[in-house]
Amino acid sequence: MITLHLIRKEHRADVHLTIRIIIILPEDRIILYMLTITIIGSGYVGLITGICLAERGNTVTVVDIDEEKVRVINAGEPPIYEEGLQELLKKHVGVSLHASTSYTSVSESDVIFIAVGTPPLPDGSADLQYIRSAAEQIGIALLEKHVKYPVVVVKSTVPPTTTRDIVCPAVKKHMEEPFGCCMNPEFLREGRAIEDFMHPDRIVIGSDDEEAIAKMKQVYADFDAPILVTSPTAAEMIKYAANAMLATRISFSNEIGNVCKKLGIDVYEVMKGVGLDNRIGPAFLNAGVGFGGSCFPKDVSALASLATSVGIDPILLHSVITVNDNQPSIMMALLEERVHDLADKQIAVLGLAFKDNTDDIRESRALCMIELLREKGARISCYDPMAMEEVKHIFPASQEISYMSSAGDALDGADACLVMTEWPEFEKLDKEFSRMKTQIIIDGRHILNIPHAEGLCW
């Protein structure tokens, strides 16, 4: 026999209704298909998590201290660029997703995700002040809880023991009623994050609490992916180890590429042959100017710092960082070999985001190159489909740096060109290079389809 309960619940603060559907199956098994969820933090991870869980039928509130960001989200406009995000926001904002500066929704939530930033400190370790603050505020808000056994979930990337030793105690300090606590790492690629969230390779739930684990399985009940249940500390380490492995593959490919360049070998042919080995696989073996973004540089440094703190010398992790940091200098040396004196030369920089399909410029290799070019006295003409406005905050337009409306305009009169981001539109460039004064083209991403382009590693 199946018993169907329809529960009408009013959210006074947001003036919207939630209809919760509970199906009670034989043996008292309960599947809760609609959950009320709060996500603390509307950055990249928080907003993507929120909109995807709303798309799965849950009622979601995203909380952020930034009033302007909250306003923009509630207007249905994404504060970041991510493919498919704007369409989903327009579909769900005001219906199943709301943004707020208040923690009020926490008291009504079945699950509360923490998705705040963990930026690096000067020594490379993770700054956990925002994690602590969020946990404290959740604990205070749950004093008024109206949900049986809410679950607090760490979604941010944090060092092992953070969930157990910082988050859970901070919430418990204010809570008298029982609650669950777990760690649920994200594995999202910027530019493809919605696809990755909706079709994950795996779902990791880190908890020793059976009731919390059961509720987290309800969150992901409609996802077709294996669920791995671990301890919270193992789940935290899985995230760090996964990112470190991917970063290591990139730096390994770059180092092999640097050797191949000296020997006149096409590293892409080499790594294709390597990737066909079933024990290795082809992913993240593309040699080039190095990795950037919000995850790999920060997480490898944090893991290396963690290793050092427990008495381990992380030789491999330090090498991964060193190889990556050296790639822009190698590109600069190659450019100087071709152009010689860069003073007052015009260098076109194509691509400013750290990768395609995003406007994220964090740790972008293009920013490193711009800084090196400025030191050499070059004039720089830039183009990126999405990220130019972000870069202008760091390098304002001036006599030495200009921002162009197209790749062709950036190439016009240039003494050399550096390709820094693998935007698909760059694959189509051809006659635009005839606008250059001198066709010295260094492709840092193996994206161009012209014979006279030179690769950084090939």
Side-chain angles (χ1 to χ4, degrees):
M1 181 183 71
I2 296 178
T3 304
L4 177 65
H5 296 269
L6 296 181
I7 302 174
R8 180 180 183 275
K9 183 170 66 175
E10 182 176 352
H11 285 231
R12 296 179 182 176
D14 295 307
V15 194
H16 64 276
L17 300 177
T18 297
I19 302 294
R20 178 177 295 177
I21 301 175
I22 302 177
I23 299 179
I24 302 180
L25 299 173
E27 300 177 1
D28 295 324
R29 290 181 292 138
I30 300 177
I31 301 177
L32 184 59
Y33 281 104
M34 290 186 65
L35 296 168
T36 302
I37 294 170
T38 292
I39 299 174
I40 310 302
S42 68
Y44 194 86
V45 172
L47 188 55
I48 295 299
T49 300
I51 200 65
C52 289
L53 291 178
E55 175 72 0
R56 289 297 195 191
N58 302 289
T59 299
V60 180
T61 301
V62 179
V63 176
D64 202 288
I65 60 173
D66 188 330
E67 293 183 1
E68 176 60 17
K69 188 180 287 188
V70 166
R71 184 195 67 77
V72 168
I73 293 171
N74 283 331
E77 295 296 329
I80 57 173
Y81 176 77
E82 178 65 32
E83 187 174 352
L85 179 57
Q86 186 166 27
E87 293 79 3
L88 286 178
L89 277 178
K90 289 187 179 299
K91 176 181 178 181
H92 292 291
V93 163
V95 181
S96 55
L97 184 135
H98 307 262
S100 175
T101 57
S102 169
Y103 276 69
T104 304
S105 62
V106 167
S107 65
E108 298 282 352
S109 295
D110 302 290
V111 180
I112 306 102
F113 286 93
I114 299 176
V116 298
T118 55
L121 291 168
D123 65 355
S125 62
D127 185 349
L128 300 178
Q129 64 170 310
Y130 305 111
I131 291 283
R132 290 189 181 92
S133 176
E136 291 274 355
Q137 293 298 315
I138 289 169
I140 293 170
L142 283 176
L143 288 172
E144 303 296 326
K145 79 177 182 69
H146 302 286
V147 173
K148 181 182 178 181
Y149 211 78
V151 177
V152 178
V153 184
V154 178
K155 197 74 173 172
S156 305
T157 300
V158 295
T161 73
T162 300
T163 302
R164 183 192 68 197
D165 296 345
I166 294 177
V167 174
C168 295
V171 176
K172 190 174 183 179
K173 181 169 66 175
H174 301 281
M175 277 283 291
E176 296 181 358
E177 298 295 324
F179 69 96
C181 199
C182 71
M183 204 282 163
N184 174 221
E186 52 84 16
F187 305 100
L188 307 178
R189 297 170 296 169
E190 289 195 39
R192 297 157 183 82
I194 291 174
E195 175 189 350
D196 286 350
F197 194 100
M198 301 301 272
H199 305 285
D201 295 324
R202 76 288 201 193
I203 295 164
V204 177
I205 299 172
S207 182
D208 300 316
D209 181 337
E210 290 300 325
E211 195 165 350
I213 292 168
K215 186 163 285 189
M216 287 303 295
K217 286 183 176 180
Q218 291 175 2
V219 172
Y220 293 110
D222 197 30
F223 288 74
D224 183 17
I227 294 178
L228 174 65
V229 178
T230 71
S231 68
T233 51
E236 291 160 334
M237 183 57 91
I238 286 169
K239 170 62 176 180
Y240 273 120
N243 277 358
M245 172 58 79
L246 298 176
T248 299
R249 288 170 70 95
I250 295 171
S251 282
F252 172 78
S253 300
N254 289 342
E255 189 147 80
I256 296 298
N258 294 336
V259 175
C260 286
K261 179 73 173 180
K262 295 293 186 181
L263 297 175
I265 301 170
D266 186 339
V267 68
Y268 272 74
E269 289 184 353
V270 172
M271 300 319 288
K272 182 177 181 179
V274 171
L276 288 172
D277 189 321
N278 288 331
R279 298 167 299 175
I280 297 172
F284 288 84
L285 293 181
N286 292 337
V289 76
F291 57 78
S294 63
C295 294
F296 289 1
K298 171 179 70 72
D299 293 349
V300 175
S301 293
L303 185 55
S305 177
L306 177 65
T308 301
S309 72
V310 296
I312 300 297
D313 182 10
I315 299 170
L316 179 58
L317 296 177
H318 285 318
S319 298
V320 168
I321 296 167
T322 298
V323 171
N324 195 60
D325 287 346
N326 285 344
Q327 289 305 103
S329 297
I330 293 173
M331 191 175 206
M332 175 56 71
L334 180 60
L335 177 64
E336 288 190 294
E337 284 181 18
R338 303 295 181 260
V339 179
H340 305 299
D341 184 8
L342 289 172
D344 205 36
K345 295 294 197 316
Q346 181 186 335
I347 309 300
V349 176
L350 301 186
L352 300 173
F354 88 94
K355 63 175 292 187
D356 65 312
N357 289 320
T358 182
D359 59 356
D360 194 344
I361 61 170
R362 286 175 287 183
E363 301 290 338
S364 169
R365 302 296 87 187
L367 302 188
C368 299
M369 288 307 303
I370 289 173
E371 191 59 60
L372 291 172
L373 289 168
R374 292 173 75 227
E375 291 173 3
K376 299 292 183 178
R379 293 179 292 110
I380 307 156
S381 55
C382 301
Y383 171 71
D384 186 283
M386 291 290 172
M388 289 194 292
E389 291 304 315
E390 295 297 322
V391 177
K392 287 178 183 178
H393 295 305
I394 301 172
F395 300 112
S398 64
Q399 288 186 341
E400 64 179 4
I401 182 166
S402 56
Y403 297 89
M404 314 308 290
S405 59
S406 69
D409 288 346
L411 292 167
D412 196 22
D415 295 282
C417 168
L418 304 177
V419 178
M420 304 302 299
T421 310
E422 61 274 31
W423 284 103
E425 71 175 77
F426 296 162
E427 293 183 63
K428 303 173 184 176
L429 295 176
D430 187 359
K431 65 181 184 298
E432 290 86 352
F433 291 107
S434 66
R435 298 171 63 175
M436 298 177 67
K437 181 179 178 181
T438 309
Q439 291 194 33
I440 297 172
I441 305 161
I442 302 175
D443 183 357
R445 297 298 184 189
H446 200 251
I447 189 73
L448 299 180
N449 285 314
I450 54 174
H452 50 289
E454 179 176 8
L456 174 60
C457 296
W458 63 96

